[in-house]
Amino acid sequence: NAQSNSPIAQMARASMATEPDGLNLTHKRKMEELDIERQENEIALQRAEIENKRAEIESKRAENESKRAKNAKQQIELEIMKAESDTRRMNTIKAGYSDICQDTVIDERARLIFKDYYLNMAMYPSLLTANTGSTQGLLTNGETTSPNKPISLSQVAHELSLKIPDNKLIAIGMELKKKYIKRHGKEPSKH
């Protein structure tokens, strides 16, 4: 190529002759240094953006945590208010029961009803009270009933339009009695 007469080879030789090698290398180094500096600046900008995003995420995380804590506190306060309402209701029932009973002694049946009510209130408060505060029966179509009202097998069968012979009702009652004794360690009271 050094001795070729083609126009491209001549142009290449001419451009090499006008620029000395030292000047060309200095220019290349300067360009590389500028390129490195530009890349470092881009990296610094990217790091700053990442840090800003991290700070934003941490801020949102703290805000969400604060909201969760506030919601938990409100939920606890609501549960306390429900429990206080249920306790007031139960005290009203007890006072009414004392007015009805002449000897003001709570019999075994009433004691069991009160015990079941308090246990249900403690373990399943959402089943006892709806958002309106009214008590919902578990075996009804949303009608308001007492959750501690004794349930008769024949009444339930009648409500479900079932005709169960007396001997089957007795067998079911005996099975429920066995389960009650197994659970409570004594026979159920006679209501």
Side-chain angles (χ1 to χ4, degrees), residues 98-113:
S98 295
D99 290 343
I100 294 171
C101 294
Q102 294 170 352
D103 58 4
T104 66
V105 175
I106 296 177
D107 63 1
E108 183 66 17
R109 177 177 176 249
R111 190 189 68 71
L112 286 173
I113 290 172

Side-chain angles (χ1 to χ4, degrees), residues 2 22 35 45 51 61 70 72 75 77 80 85 88 95 113 120 126 138 140 161 176-177 180-182:
D35 191 41
L45 285 174
E51 287 303 316
R61 186 177 293 150
K70 184 178 179 182
Q75 186 67 27
E77 289 172 355
I80 289 171
S85 172
R88 280 193 301 275
I113 290 172
N120 286 335
S126 62
L138 299 178
T140 66
S161 301
L176 289 173
K177 180 180 177 181
Y180 183 92
I181 291 170
K182 184 178 180 182

Side-chain angles (χ1 to χ4, degrees), residues 107-113 115-116 173-191:
D107 63 1
E108 183 66 17
R109 177 177 176 249
R111 190 189 68 71
L112 286 173
I113 290 172
K115 178 182 174 186
D116 285 344
M174 296 298 279
E175 188 65 30
L176 289 173
K177 180 180 177 181
K178 287 178 189 176
K179 290 184 182 228
Y180 183 92
I181 291 170
K182 184 178 180 182
R183 183 175 183 183
H184 298 285
K186 62 181 178 177
E187 288 193 10
S189 64
K190 307 283 183 193
H191 329 323

Side-chain angles (χ1 to χ4, degrees), residues 11 13 40 43 58-59 72 86 95 101 105 107 110 113 124 129 134 143 155-158 164:
M11 183 178 69
R13 282 192 301 269
E40 287 175 349
I43 290 171
E58 282 301 317
S59 173
D86 289 340
C101 294
V105 175
D107 63 1
I113 290 172
Y124 309 106
T129 56
S134 66
E143 301 164 3
Q155 285 175 336
V156 173
H158 179 71
I164 302 175

